Amino acid sequence: MMSESIVEVSEEHENNGEEEEVRADCENENETIRSHRAFGFSFSSAYKMPTRHPKVLTTLETMLFGYQSLGVVYGDLGTSPLYTFQSIRLSDPTETDLLGILSIILWTLTLTALLKYVLIVLHADDHGEGGTFALYSLLRQHVNFKSAMVMPIQSLDSDTNLKFHSKQSAIQFKARELLEKSTIAQNVITGVVLLSTCMLIGDGALTPSISVLSATQGIQSRFTKITQNDVVWLSVAILLLLFLFQRFGTAKVSISFSPIMIVWFLSTALIGLYNIIKYYPPILKAISPHYIYCFFATQKTKGWTLLGSFVLCITGAEAMFADLGHFSKGAIQFAFCCMVYPSLILAYAGEAAYLIKHPDQLSTAFYSSVPEPVFWPMFVISILAAVVASQSLISASFSIIRQSIALGCFPRVTMIHTSEKHEGQVYSPEINYFLMIACIFITVGFKGGAQIGNAFGVAVIWVMLFTTFLMTVVMIVVWQTHIALALLFFFFFIIIEGAFMTSLLNKLVQGGWVPFAISAIFIIITLTWTFGRSKKAQYEATWVVDRNKFEKLLTSTTRVPGICFFCTDLINGVPPIVCHYAELIGSIRKVTVFVTIRTLPVRSVLPSERFNIGKLGPAGVYRCLVQFGYMDIHTMEGEEFTRSVVAAFIDATENQEEKEMLDAALQEGVVFVLGRVILKMTEKHRCVKKFLINNLYRFLQKNFRSNVATLKIPPRKQLQVGMLYEI
């Protein structure tokens, strides 16, 4: 393999003093543009991702962000009173039964939403970013993963100096060492991450269905001639409008989300308080766990069968962590403790108080408990709140796919940024239409029945189980928590969530299979894509062009004026497609730069840290690593990219002749060469692997976007070279 050294362009990593000085300069854009040493600073605004500097929020700022989070984070969890009680299929419930039902709901909310997510999981952020990928990112920053299930990321010593890279402790834990040595453990963790991600996407199809259906069902209680089928088609119409509106982005309407949700929370809390006072004032005695025991003692096996329905009261709890990147921990905690939690307690208690006097109305609990004078205003508010809840999960699905693409786990799809101010607001037409079709099929296929609730509960509980597992690993490996405390966390929540899960297993045939079916589609795509990409990387690493062969190629090939940026996945060495290119074109540019895009398991890479450069042995041949975080925008668009790279090479050399050569080459034209590789697995491999590579992977290559489109390279300056890799 060719010998080469990677050189840091920016000198900020040489010592801690200089590092702090340069990073302080990042706050002043004018200073960074004038800096030649840290050439990444000269990027255009498209490359300058907003960076999250540690900041202590004032009480007023925390309250303001908490108010804004109501419309983004709490739509799903906040609208759960619409469908939780009516999903519990229990005929002729007694007062004790209803108190037991309320007690289970109160304790599930308290232990899972408040204790687990608000007080513990929210602290496992990756420099302000939350969700499954944040947990995985933290682990990959501390553990060198060698699993074949994902694209390997070759670590460099300089990675630990990145602004958003978590610092490792000098203490080497046995757990970390075992994890690095065990590819089985790495495969399990990676599999859990991928399954959790796919389940969340399934949640994105189920949330709009159940939220909109539950909100529109209230109209049946006022118009007896309206059938369930009419409600289904009204819901489909609303869902169609919701998904078709996605292409305009949420920026223009998101300002109304928080007012809608605060009206929703206040309305449901006041109605709940009214029902408590009117129908059953001592209802809050249900806080005693004694009523949970009474419920199961009375219902026995039936109680266990019904347990899965209670999961619906915590749907959306995972969104608190997934949407952490938009708000601070304090804001999300403030909003939950001061508004969401009290409102939900009053709403559920009010429904239970009403049902104690009207037990025959359990199947229509929410709208039946709404007082007649405010029914229609609440109907409108419910529809709007359901739309907000649906929007949150749809937007989350777009962000999840974007992160998966950035980490090389999913084929490239169209990603449109709908906001110039917020990098997290994206829209993917392909994913949007997939969710729309899935959502409509679910709504029409189940006809608004209990099967949707079963499917929804299955998706939610499995995501929570996966989060519990990943959090335990993060506690041990990253937080360095005492093993006893980590295991206490694991077993405490795994018992609670496991009980819900075992109950829902009984509902797999009755709709519970839906999230698994959606997950299976995305898992097959993900594993096929990562398998094909890893085989391509293995082939290039095996057949890398050695130094002697490359130097011989340069001397025997005509060198023409200009610069060639040759895009490759290899960090070290020269890819075999270079020889194929030289044979086809018959020439090589005087300045050839091998460019490798590195997506690191960190949320963002500062502009000053964007590039690492190196000089290969032969004259005029260089290496450039372009580094991004999983939340960064990947682009090589604009003249400033080429000028910045050349300026970096000029700045890094002291040879005047080389400086003049680089400057002249820039004026003589630039071309980007991208390899279009087709994989073909030979007959010596098994049929399954051959099918995955020769059929499914090739299908994904043809029908999804290429890296050319996602990098936004100017079309008139790009050249694609095709080559067949037989593996």
Side-chain angles (χ1 to χ4, degrees), residues 644-708:
S644 296
V645 174
V646 173
F649 286 124
I650 291 175
D651 188 60
T653 184
E654 297 181 358
N655 188 308
Q656 186 61 34
E657 183 179 347
E658 187 176 2
K659 290 182 178 183
E660 292 175 358
M661 177 194 67
L662 288 165
D663 189 54
L666 180 63
Q667 307 303 322
E668 291 164 344
V670 175
V671 64
F672 290 84
V673 177
L674 301 106
R676 186 69 170 174
V677 174
I678 298 175
L679 298 183
K680 181 181 179 182
M681 191 159 275
T682 57
E683 296 296 326
K684 66 180 181 180
H685 295 280
R686 294 178 180 176
C687 294
V688 175
K689 290 185 176 181
K690 284 194 296 182
F691 174 77
L692 288 176
I693 294 297
N694 298 345
N695 299 96
L696 194 50
Y697 179 73
R698 193 172 299 177
F699 173 82
L700 296 176
Q701 274 190 311
K702 290 179 179 179
N703 291 278
F704 284 80
R705 302 186 81 202
S706 67
N707 59 348
V708 180

Side-chain angles (χ1 to χ4, degrees), residues 39 75 81 83 115 150 178 206 276 368 408 626 637 640 703:
F39 74 96
Y83 42 76
L115 179 60
V150 293
L178 288 173
L206 291 163
I276 291 171
S368 296
V626 186
E637 189 176 20
E640 286 191 44
N703 291 278

Side-chain angles (χ1 to χ4, degrees), residues 283-308:
I283 190 66
L284 289 179
K285 67 182 181 180
I287 197 171
S288 171
H290 165 73
Y291 291 100
I292 298 177
Y293 169 79
C294 293
F295 175 79
F296 287 108
T298 303
Q299 297 298 327
K300 296 183 172 60
T301 305
K302 176 71 173 177
W304 173 78
T305 306
L306 293 172
L307 188 59

Side-chain angles (χ1 to χ4, degrees), residues 239-456:
L239 291 170
L240 275 172
L241 290 174
L242 174 63
F243 281 102
L244 292 175
F245 189 79
Q246 295 301 312
R247 66 189 185 93
F248 298 106
T250 59
K252 295 181 180 179
V253 296
S254 60
I255 193 171
S256 65
F257 286 177
S258 294
I260 289 171
M261 290 310 300
I262 201 167
V263 170
W264 165 261
F265 284 122
L266 290 174
S267 300
T268 53
L270 290 173
I271 291 172
L273 186 61
Y274 169 82
N275 287 331
I276 291 171
I277 295 171
K278 182 177 180 180
Y279 296 108
Y280 197 83
I283 190 66
L284 289 179
K285 67 182 181 180
I287 197 171
S288 171
H290 165 73
Y291 291 100
I292 298 177
Y293 169 79
C294 293
F295 175 79
F296 287 108
T298 303
Q299 297 298 327
K300 296 183 172 60
T301 305
K302 176 71 173 177
W304 173 78
T305 306
L306 293 172
L307 188 59
S309 301
F310 291 93
V311 175
L312 298 182
C313 75
I314 48 173
T315 58
E318 70 280 1
M320 286 188 282
F321 185 46
D323 290 323
L324 184 58
H326 298 94
F327 305 98
S328 67
K329 288 189 288 286
I332 292 177
Q333 292 167 334
F334 173 81
F336 182 84
C337 296
C338 296
M339 174 60 73
V340 179
Y341 185 67
S343 298
L344 289 174
I345 296 297
L346 288 174
Y348 282 119
E351 287 186 56
Y354 177 86
L355 290 171
I356 286 175
K357 300 300 181 182
H358 307 86
D360 58 317
Q361 297 181 21
L362 179 62
S363 61
T364 58
F366 180 79
Y367 279 113
S368 296
S369 66
V370 174
E372 182 69 27
V374 296
F375 175 83
W376 287 111
M378 276 307 298
F379 178 75
V380 174
I381 294 170
S382 299
I383 295 290
L384 294 175
V387 169
V388 173
S390 304
Q391 180 62 59
S392 299
L393 267 296
I394 294 169
S395 299
S397 298
F398 296 154
S399 297
I400 289 169
I401 293 295
R402 178 192 173 192
Q403 294 176 10
S404 301
I405 294 170
L407 292 175
C409 300
F410 200 82
R412 300 172 185 89
V413 295
T414 307
M415 279 292 167
I416 301 171
H417 295 266
T418 59
S419 173
E420 295 180 357
K421 296 180 180 179
H422 306 287
E423 75 271 20
Q425 293 186 5
V426 293
Y427 163 68
S428 171
E430 297 93 333
I431 302 302
N432 182 62
Y433 292 129
F434 172 84
L435 291 177
M436 181 181 74
I437 294 170
C439 195
I440 291 173
F441 269 113
I442 291 168
T443 305
V444 175
F446 291 141
K447 301 186 185 303
Q451 293 92 337
I452 296 181
N454 295 336
F456 198 26

